Amino acid sequence: CSRPQKVCLCPFLPIHPLKVSTCLYIIQHPAEESRVLRTVPLLAACLPPDKCKILVGRRFSEDRYPELATVCRNPNTLILYPGAEATNLEEVAVMSSGPSVMIIIDGTWSQAKDIFYKNSLFRLPKQVQLKTNISSQYVIRTQPTNTCLSTLECAAVALTIMEKNKSIQETILRPLQALCSFQLQHGAQIHHSKEHLLKNGLYDKPMPKNKRKLRRMELLVNNVKI
């Protein structure tokens, strides 16, 4: 895990990489590389190298990334990104008959949106989303809503669905739970979602002046005027 001995996560990683048929392509925003507590390295440590490929960048052209372009044109490739055009992954998994490839964008919600909409390659695969009420266990980082999941958590849920194996989710989440536990023991605080803070009057930062951002925050509290 490349962490100091006192907070080593190796005991919480699987002894052998998980055997999965689904291949993940993690499209990582460059800003995520500098984050100390990012989850993608933990995800990669749980999977075989050929089943978890990480590409870092903001723009992905066909000329520069021919392998990725081929993957995006593959009819068995899915991209995990929520929206009106997205199909619930459970429905797709039922119809799946062979190994699949899944693209997951790693970054903040605004970074992921920027990558998705400014790269035409990512609108070639079938768009899917997770239909789940699971609350994020990544409690040391603030999420927009209670049900927004980290990249590792999204991958864990998605792989569990695609592989039809519930133990995958438990195995992949174990190092994340240990990471959060270690950080809380060493002074980190539990971060409630922005949704929770707004609904309970605990949001202590200045409200945004940008109307679009302000509207987004109003939606977090069910359209109650802030």
Side-chain angles (χ1 to χ4, degrees):
C1 69
S2 302
R3 287 167 57 86
Q5 188 64 39
K6 285 178 63 178
V7 290
C8 177
L9 296 175
C10 291
F12 304 95
L13 296 171
I15 297 174
H16 302 291
L18 293 170
K19 293 182 179 180
V20 295
S21 60
T22 306
C23 178
L24 300 181
Y25 273 77
I26 307 298
I27 306 301
Q28 188 175 77
H29 190 279
E32 286 296 312
E33 279 192 300
S34 60
R35 291 187 182 276
V36 177
L37 301 176
R38 58 194 192 278
T39 64
V40 167
L42 297 180
L43 173 63
C46 292
L47 300 171
D50 64 329
K51 296 299 183 183
C52 186
K53 303 181 180 183
I54 303 168
L55 299 177
V56 181
R58 292 184 179 87
R59 302 293 174 260
F60 296 85
S61 65
E62 185 166 357
D63 291 341
R64 192 174 177 186
Y65 295 90
E67 178 188 341
L68 179 62
T70 300
V71 166
C72 288
R73 287 192 166 85
N74 187 322
N76 289 325
T77 297
L78 309 171
I79 184 163
L80 187 63
Y81 190 84
E85 304 297 320
T87 304
N88 290 331
L89 182 58
E90 292 90 340
E91 297 175 18
V92 176
V94 169
M95 299 182 288
S96 178
S97 58
S100 298
V101 176
M102 178 169 290
I103 298 171
I104 301 177
I105 303 174
D106 180 45
T108 64
W109 286 98
S110 60
Q111 290 166 352
K113 183 178 180 180
D114 179 74
I115 289 174
F116 181 76
Y117 284 106
K118 292 186 178 179
N119 290 281
S120 57
L121 282 179
F122 297 144
R123 280 180 309 286
L124 295 177
K126 186 174 183 62
Q127 187 179 342
V128 296
Q129 62 187 352
L130 299 175
K131 186 178 181 181
T132 176
N133 293 320
I134 297 173
S135 293
S136 176
Q137 297 184 41
Y138 194 20
V139 295
I140 55 175
R141 188 167 171 180
T142 303
Q143 304 289 358
T145 71
N146 296 330
T147 56
C148 286
L149 304 178
S150 66
T151 301
L152 177 142
E153 291 171 305
C154 287
V157 174
L159 284 174
T160 295
I161 294 170
M162 294 303 295
E163 302 291 320
K164 301 176 178 61
N165 183 348
K166 293 183 178 180
S167 68
I168 290 176
Q169 183 173 327
E170 180 183 345
T171 301
I172 294 180
L173 292 184
R174 194 175 298 130
L176 176 66
Q177 294 162 350
L179 169 66
C180 292
S181 178
F182 279 138
Q183 294 303 124
L184 292 173
Q185 289 171 27
H186 288 81
Q189 300 294 317
I190 291 178
H191 288 222
H192 293 291
S193 70
K194 188 179 291 186
E195 174 189 37
H196 174 90
L197 297 175
L198 287 169
K199 285 183 176 180
N200 290 277
L202 301 173
Y203 192 76
D204 57 1
K205 295 182 180 180
M207 298 304 292
K209 295 181 181 179
N210 181 288
K211 290 184 178 180
R212 181 175 56 83
K213 291 183 178 179
L214 188 60
R215 175 60 177 165
R216 190 184 306 153
M217 294 180 76
E218 289 175 350
L219 291 174
L220 289 178
V221 286
N222 298 323
N223 295 319
V224 174
K225 187 176 180 179
I226 299 174

